[in-house]
Amino acid sequence: MSVRSPSRALRRIEALLVARREIVTWAAVAVSAFAGAALAVGGLTTHYGWWFLVPPLVLARLALNALDRSLGRAAGKRRSGT
């Protein structure tokens, strides 16, 4: 029975994501839009539960941004303005 190395599995995932880097970028855009919508709805209504969505969405956005930058370095590309 062989045991896979975690780094080997992560390299495969990284190679897949580098090939389709735009998925991570668009996921970050979608998370940002949801966070903005949660802020807007929370501010305009009396349903304060929307405010509880904002911190996890912001953390997800930060993580996706870091992942996008890491994938860009792995691919040897940089976005303009960064």
Side-chain angles (χ1 to χ4, degrees):
M1 181 177 191
S2 65
V3 177
R4 286 189 178 178
S5 168
S7 63
R8 188 176 185 189
L10 288 176
R11 275 190 235 129
R12 286 183 181 175
I13 293 170
E14 181 186 37
L16 175 69
L17 288 175
V18 165
R20 297 183 179 145
R21 185 171 162 226
E22 296 300 319
I23 292 172
V24 176
T25 303
W26 286 108
V29 170
V31 169
S32 295
F34 285 129
L39 282 170
V41 172
L44 295 174
T45 67
T46 58
H47 300 288
Y48 299 112
W50 288 96
W51 292 101
F52 290 109
L53 292 175
V54 175
L57 289 171
V58 169
L59 289 175
R61 172 64 173 107
L62 287 171
L64 287 168
N65 190 36
L67 180 61
D68 190 36
R69 186 167 175 96
S70 174
L71 292 173
R73 285 183 181 172
K77 296 180 181 178
R78 252 183 102 178
R79 299 247 186 244
S80 61
T82 58

